Structure formats: C-alpha cells, structure tokens
Amino acid sequence: MNTATEHQAQVDHDRRVKGRIHSFESFGTVDGPGIRFVLFMQGCALRCKFCHNPDTWDMTTGKVMTVDEVIAEIEPYIPYYKASGGGVTFSGGEPSLQAPFLAALGRELKRRHQLHIAMDSSGFCEPAHLRSTSLLEVVDLILLDLKMIDEQKHMELTTQSNDRILRMAQFVNDYGTRLWIRHVVIPEVTTDPTDVERLAVEIQKLSTVERLELLPYHEMGKFKWKQLGLRYELEHMKPPTNEQLAAVQNQLQARLDIPVII
C-alpha cells in the first residue's frame, strides 16, 4: 500500500470513529483563547465533591456521534473561531477517556480547517494511553486541573489518588505541550497556605505552563446532584470572598513567574 493510499485509509477510518457526547457549546469564551466550540465528552472516573457536571460521570450514556457528525456541528461557526484566535476545546467529564475518538476528531479538524485544539482535563489519564492514541499530536494546549497536591486530601476531595495526575502533568510537559493550570478555590478546602505552597512547588516543575487560572467555587451544580439523587456534601459551602481569592492569588504570584489570574 503506497503512502497516499495509507493516508486516505486513515482519513476514511477517522471519519467513522464514534464517541459519546454529553453536550456542546458553540460560543465558549472561558475554555482557552478566543471564541471556542466546547465539546463535553461523557465519562469521568473522579467524583469531585464540587463537580458541577455529575451527569457526565456515566461512561455508558450520552449521544453517540461520529467524527463527521461532530464536525458538522462545528463548521457553521469556524469563521468566528478563526477571527478570534479561538478553536475547539475537548472537555467533559474527562475527555482523555475517549482519546481514540478525540485523536481522530483532532486529525480531521486539523486536516480540514487547521483549527487550534485545546483539552480541558483533570489529568486522570495514564501517560501510556496518551502515547498509544496519538492524542497529544493534535492538542495544542491543555487546560490542566490541579485540585490538590496532598494525596490524602485529594482522595477525600475526588475519591481518587493524584499520582496518575501528577505523572500525566510531567509527561505532557516533557512532550512540550503548552499548559494552562486551573485550580478551584474552595474556602477551607483548598485555601490552606500549606496546600497553596505545595501547588506552587508542583507548578514550578512544569516548564511549559503559561498561566494559572484560579476558579472560584460556585454552587451552580447543586441542582444536578439532587436531580440524580446524589448527596451534595458541600451543601453549606459558600463561594470564596474577594479577600480569600486575593490571598491565594498573592501567595501563588509571589512564588511563580507566570500570570496568576482570577
């Protein structure tokens, strides 16, 4: 089989690959640079106490779509994405759980439209999985959520160890992928100065990090937990005050030479 034939076979295969989609947003402005199409994938192994999309956890639900079908939803808005320096963001859930689908989708988006691609990830993904699926070859930027560096506290907050997350962070950094770190500020949960200091130390290990975004905890996901019959453990938690946000921001900015943004 010659090179041209092999390439066409890959293209034909990619267009038919299917994924489970939770939902999508056509004009996202907070999930990477510019205006973006945000594709929310179904499935997540974490059970974060503050999750505002618990309906994305189940890997067996969602709408099954092919690469071609997803691109058809994206194409009407491509002029806006390109004019704004935006593109497409894979989100979730945890998008890396469907890495083969997203790698295929990313290849087609690059081949047809040369779009910028970002991935909003919890990092709960084995590096070997990223390597074997070639997902990193199509991702220009990863928005990586670092929730807690202390392993025991991370397990209490998310039900899972952060060992895999920290290894994934180092792997994508060594690969050369641009990183924006995201950190949710939850009063009395992620605001302890000792934990904030450990976050700064961990970020200092990653040379491709361009910025750190502090995301204030919000209560908008409470109703989904109740709809799903789940107990929301942060029922009485309130969003951080401006003073609490500023304290975390100032501590991190004093240690880091990248912008720390609220």
Side-chain angles (χ1 to χ4, degrees):
M1 186 180 294
N2 61 40
T3 303
T5 304
E6 290 175 345
H7 174 72
Q8 188 58 51
Q10 178 70 64
V11 170
D12 291 342
H13 169 270
D14 285 348
R15 294 177 63 182
R16 295 190 300 268
V17 177
K18 296 179 180 180
R20 288 188 176 272
I21 313 301
H22 173 269
S23 58
F24 45 79
E25 181 182 352
S26 302
F27 281 80
T29 58
V30 295
D31 296 290
I35 300 171
R36 310 190 69 81
F37 185 98
V38 185
L39 184 68
F40 296 94
M41 304 300 295
Q42 197 70 37
C44 187
L46 301 184
R47 297 292 181 266
C48 300
K49 291 182 179 179
F50 56 87
C51 181
H52 58 275
N53 285 321
D55 48 333
T56 65
W57 291 349
D58 190 346
M59 189 71 182
T60 65
T61 60
K63 182 178 181 180
V64 177
M65 299 179 71
T66 66
V67 163
D68 268 356
E69 288 171 333
V70 173
I71 292 179
E73 298 288 346
I74 297 171
E75 286 180 327
Y77 311 102
I78 285 177
Y80 298 99
Y81 304 147
K82 289 195 171 184
S84 68
V88 175
T89 298
F90 303 150
S91 188
E94 173 47 50
S96 66
L97 285 177
Q98 299 192 59
F101 171 77
L102 293 179
L105 175 58
R107 282 191 292 268
E108 272 299 284
L109 287 171
K110 293 290 189 185
R111 186 182 70 84
R112 298 188 201 181
H113 303 293
Q114 299 78 51
L115 282 176
H116 180 276
I117 295 175
M119 180 170 73
D120 183 5
S121 173
S122 71
F124 197 73
C125 177
E126 283 293 338
H129 185 55
L130 291 177
R131 187 185 301 113
S132 65
T133 58
S134 304
L135 180 56
L136 288 185
E137 293 178 12
V138 301
V139 172
D140 301 293
L141 169 70
I142 292 180
L143 313 174
L144 180 63
D145 302 318
L146 292 182
K147 299 173 176 64
M148 184 73 74
I149 304 306
D150 181 277
E151 184 176 25
Q152 185 58 43
K153 290 181 179 179
H154 191 277
M155 292 179 68
E156 292 171 1
L157 188 61
T158 73
T159 72
Q160 299 287 350
S161 165
N162 62 359
D163 173 71
R164 181 181 296 182
I165 294 168
L166 298 179
R167 286 190 289 108
M168 187 269 211
Q170 193 62 56
F171 177 81
V172 299
N173 177 83
D174 295 345
Y175 188 85
T177 305
R178 295 168 56 209
L179 286 166
W180 290 5
I181 301 298
R182 291 179 150 183
H183 179 67
V184 179
V185 178
I186 310 173
E188 301 178 10
V189 178
T190 65
T191 54
D192 186 299
T194 301
D195 293 319
V196 175
E197 174 68 15
R198 293 186 66 177
L199 176 64
V201 170
E202 200 64 37
I203 292 173
Q204 287 175 325
K205 300 176 185 177
L206 306 172
S207 60
T208 65
V209 175
E210 298 178 347
R211 61 195 279 177
L212 168 58
E213 297 181 344
L214 299 179
L215 308 179
Y217 163 78
H218 60 73
E219 304 171 285
M220 291 185 286
K222 281 185 179 180
F223 77 95
K224 289 188 179 180
W225 287 69
K226 293 177 181 178
Q227 285 180 340
L228 295 170
L230 301 172
R231 176 173 171 265
Y232 190 72
E233 293 186 32
L234 302 182
E235 181 69 45
H236 304 294
M237 182 67 66
K238 298 299 180 183
T241 63
N242 291 337
E243 291 75 17
Q244 289 171 318
L245 284 170
V248 175
Q249 181 186 36
N250 292 338
Q251 183 179 351
L252 288 165
Q253 193 64 82
R255 290 295 308 270
L256 301 171
D257 57 3
I258 57 172
V260 180
I261 301 165
I262 296 176

